[in-house]
Amino acid sequence: MAGTNTAKEVQAPENTPLAPVIILVGPQLGENIGMCARAMLNCGVTELRIVKPRDGWPNPAAVSAASGAIAVLDNAKIFDTTAEALQDLEFVLATTARNRGIVKDIYTAEAGVKLIHEHNAGRAQKCGIMFGPERTGLENDDIALANATLSIPLNPGFSSLNLAQAVLLVCYTWLSCDNPYKTADVEKEMGGTELATKAEVENLMDHLVDDLETGGFFRSAEQKPTIIRNVRNFFFRAGMTAQDVRTMHGIFTCLTGKRHRKAE
Amino acid sequence: MAGTNTAKEVQAPENTPLAPVIILVGPQLGENIGMCARAMLNCGVTELRIVKPRDGWPNPAAVSAASGAIAVLDNAKIFDTTAEALQDLEFVLATTARNRGIVKDIYTAEAGVKLIHEHNAGRAQKCGIMFGPERTGLENDDIALANATLSIPLNPGFSSLNLAQAVLLVCYTWLSCDNPYKTADVEKEMGGTELATKAEVENLMDHLVDDLETGGFFRSAEQKPTIIRNVRNFFFRAGMTAQDVRTMHGIFTCLTGKRHRKAE
């Protein structure tokens, strides 16, 4: 998935429901904060809040890990308490492992981000998603401030994600709900050439059939139409380009020459 | 998203369609290979193949970055060429940035993994997903070996993912197609208590209304039923637990005591 991040400015998503605010509570490593900013911007999520970052703020390690998502870090707001970080938000999800012993609805990532889209559908409601510190996750006092919790359904025998991976999966799941960057499910990449016309493919078939006739390929008259049909079907199924047709003409001509030379 | 990976053994997913083989072509950093193994196992994807790892194999940096997904690394197969790595596979997707100038269908991640599920639906067909080196991505000679390409629809102004994040998003998208680890969209976490019965909530209402009568809260007879209805609605909407009801009884008693004391 190599690629170059050309944008030095935050690219806010266009025509999307309002993206959720991402709240990191007590993150330990600056590197992880930077990677979270990168993961957010990958998904068009730009508003970051950080509660009591362990190593202070600003943090140079965050900048170098952000791979260019600097504007997300520059605009990040720092808070002393979780309650302050959430005070203007109307609907907040807390990411947790299961069974935290606190009475609260647990949504899957997909169902949780759908709620955020629904909350934003009527009006631009400020929503947020909270993530806890790397080692311990959110404390129950933080979870009590959320409307519900969100859990990513992963392999239960191996479900631990690092912080930036959790942010990436949740933000991408949010994005996938209504992705403005998605075009068609499938696109044809034509590499500067065009699909061959039917006539060009038929012309190639004629070339091939002539050569095969000359070479005595058709042992019986009954076989011939079936073989031709199968080859034609293969050519059309493959979606031959004009260039493919020219190449195959060249190949048939070359092979015929070879056979003729061998036969001499 | 803190949690502990307790499994030292690969936890193969149960009752899933056959997971795709993940093929890393020319990965540079051992750390990235380890993080790919971790991301795979998070999603129940266990078969890893590596073509010409730059720093040789085995690689201690991969092991320490795998956070316990050691079995994926131990079972990884190493190849000299991409063609050899793919030879027993029947359907392979190549992950790319867009517009590689090669004639091939480009699927979104969602549509691409759906194809893999469909290929596996009738029989256990071996499918794979290829990822290129960190800096350059897959070369066109590698892409030519794939059946189609797959591109993750991200913020076009900031779309670069690191290798392990790309593997994580693709594997999670595959998993989400038919996720055996997912239960209900929403679950009630009850924290060891139970929802209050209707009678318990009504008893609490009686307690409150009595106290409010005593305190002269209801200024007019018309207001009273509306206020009571709103409070009752709030209590039921909140999904009070038996513990919540006991706590509120205590709170009302305490507040009444306070008021009585003040009034003395």
Side-chain angles (χ1 to χ4, degrees):
Chain A
M1 235 48 213
T4 309
N5 289 322
T6 51
K8 293 296 163 200
E9 296 293 312
V10 170
Q11 302 287 320
E14 288 174 17
N15 305 320
T16 51
L18 199 66
V21 175
I22 298 299
I23 304 108
L24 304 181
V25 179
Q28 300 174 304
L29 292 170
E31 189 194 356
N32 288 340
I33 301 172
M35 289 177 69
C36 287
R38 179 183 183 181
M40 288 169 60
L41 193 52
N42 283 148
C43 301
V45 176
T46 57
E47 193 172 342
L48 176 62
R49 300 181 185 182
I50 312 174
V51 180
K52 275 198 180 163
R54 187 192 64 184
D55 297 340
W57 196 259
N59 183 331
V63 174
S64 52
S67 301
I70 302 305
V72 174
L73 295 179
D74 285 348
N75 295 330
K77 295 194 189 76
I78 309 300
F79 296 87
D80 283 333
T81 66
T82 305
E84 287 172 274
L86 306 184
Q87 63 185 349
D88 62 324
L89 304 182
E90 299 181 20
F91 184 78
V92 173
L93 295 173
T95 55
T96 66
R98 286 173 176 272
N99 299 324
R100 295 298 301 266
I102 187 166
V103 180
K104 199 137 262 182
D105 290 345
I106 305 170
Y107 287 87
T108 65
E110 282 75 8
V113 299
K114 209 175 287 177
L115 280 187
I116 288 180
H117 277 269
E118 286 164 6
H119 274 274
N120 283 329
R123 62 207 172 94
Q125 192 179 28
K126 276 220 149 184
C127 296
I129 306 176
M130 261 196 287
F131 296 80
E134 289 91 332
R135 269 166 209 276
T136 55
L138 288 167
E139 291 179 12
N140 280 356
D141 280 344
D142 296 320
I143 296 173
L145 294 167
N147 296 73
T149 69
L150 177 154
S151 184
I152 305 174
L154 295 169
N155 179 353
F158 194 84
S159 61
S160 159
L161 292 172
N162 78 28
L163 182 58
Q165 286 174 318
V167 168
L168 179 68
L169 282 189
V170 169
C171 287
Y172 185 70
T173 305
W174 170 79
L175 180 66
S176 297
C177 249
D178 183 16
N179 190 338
Y181 311 130
K182 198 186 140 204
T183 50
D185 280 353
V186 56
E187 273 180 58
K188 299 273 172 200
E189 162 64 39
M190 293 306 297
T193 180
E194 290 184 6
L195 273 186
T197 63
K198 297 289 178 194
E200 285 167 336
V201 177
E202 283 307 323
N203 187 259
L204 180 69
M205 282 299 298
D206 290 345
H207 181 168
L208 177 62
V209 170
D210 279 356
D211 284 355
L212 294 176
E213 296 270 19
T214 310
F217 183 79
F218 302 111
R219 303 285 175 189
S220 80
E222 295 86 55
Q223 274 192 328
K224 188 177 162 183
T226 308
I227 292 174
I228 290 178
R229 186 191 319 118
N230 287 344
V231 174
R232 177 180 284 117
N233 188 43
F234 164 64
F235 282 174
F236 281 118
R237 196 176 66 228
M240 296 187 92
T241 64
Q243 179 59 56
D244 291 333
V245 168
R246 286 193 293 275
T247 303
M248 294 307 287
H249 274 295
I251 286 172
F252 297 156
T253 302
C254 167
L255 294 175
T256 319
K258 241 185 204 162
R259 183 164 49 73
H260 287 177
R261 275 196 301 279
K262 268 187 190 167
E264 273 158 18
Chain B
M1 232 51 211
T4 310
N5 289 320
T6 50
K8 294 296 164 201
E9 296 291 313
V10 170
Q11 302 288 320
E14 287 174 19
N15 304 321
T16 52
L18 199 66
V21 176
I22 299 299
I23 305 109
L24 304 181
V25 179
Q28 300 174 305
L29 293 170
E31 189 193 357
N32 287 339
I33 301 172
M35 289 178 70
C36 287
R38 178 184 183 180
M40 289 169 59
L41 193 53
N42 282 148
C43 302
V45 176
T46 56
E47 192 172 343
L48 176 63
R49 300 182 184 181
I50 312 174
V51 180
K52 275 200 179 161
R54 187 192 65 183
D55 298 340
W57 196 258
N59 182 332
V63 174
S64 51
S67 300
I70 303 305
V72 174
L73 295 178
D74 285 348
N75 294 331
K77 297 196 189 76
I78 309 299
F79 296 88
D80 284 332
T81 66
T82 305
E84 288 172 273
L86 306 184
Q87 64 186 346
D88 62 325
L89 303 182
E90 298 179 23
F91 183 79
V92 174
L93 294 174
T95 54
T96 66
R98 288 177 172 267
N99 300 323
R100 295 298 301 266
I102 188 167
V103 180
K104 200 138 264 182
D105 291 344
I106 305 171
Y107 288 87
T108 64
E110 283 74 9
V113 299
K114 208 174 286 175
L115 280 186
I116 289 180
H117 277 269
E118 286 164 7
H119 275 274
N120 283 330
R123 61 208 174 92
Q125 189 179 31
K126 275 220 151 185
C127 296
I129 306 177
M130 260 195 287
F131 296 80
E134 288 91 331
R135 270 165 207 276
T136 55
L138 288 167
E139 290 178 13
N140 281 355
D141 280 345
D142 296 320
I143 296 172
L145 294 166
N147 295 73
T149 70
L150 177 155
S151 185
I152 305 174
L154 294 170
N155 179 354
F158 195 85
S159 60
S160 159
L161 292 172
N162 78 28
L163 182 58
Q165 286 174 318
V167 168
L168 179 67
L169 282 189
V170 169
C171 287
Y172 184 70
T173 305
W174 170 80
L175 179 65
S176 296
C177 248
D178 184 17
N179 189 338
Y181 311 131
K182 198 189 139 199
T183 51
D185 281 350
V186 56
E187 272 181 58
K188 299 273 172 202
E189 164 64 39
M190 292 306 297
T193 179
E194 290 185 6
L195 272 185
T197 63
K198 298 288 179 194
E200 283 166 337
V201 177
E202 284 306 324
N203 187 256
L204 180 68
M205 281 300 298
D206 291 343
H207 181 167
L208 178 61
V209 170
D210 279 355
D211 285 353
L212 293 177
E213 296 266 20
T214 309
F217 183 78
F218 302 111
R219 302 287 174 187
S220 80
E222 296 88 53
Q223 274 191 330
K224 189 177 163 183
T226 309
I227 292 172
I228 290 178
R229 185 190 321 119
N230 287 345
V231 174
R232 176 181 285 115
N233 187 44
F234 164 66
F235 282 173
F236 280 119
R237 196 176 66 230
M240 296 188 94
T241 65
Q243 180 58 56
D244 291 333
V245 169
R246 285 193 294 275
T247 303
M248 294 307 287
H249 274 296
I251 286 173
F252 297 156
T253 302
C254 167
L255 293 175
T256 319
K258 241 188 206 161
R259 184 160 51 70
H260 288 176
R261 275 197 301 278
K262 268 188 188 164
E264 275 161 16

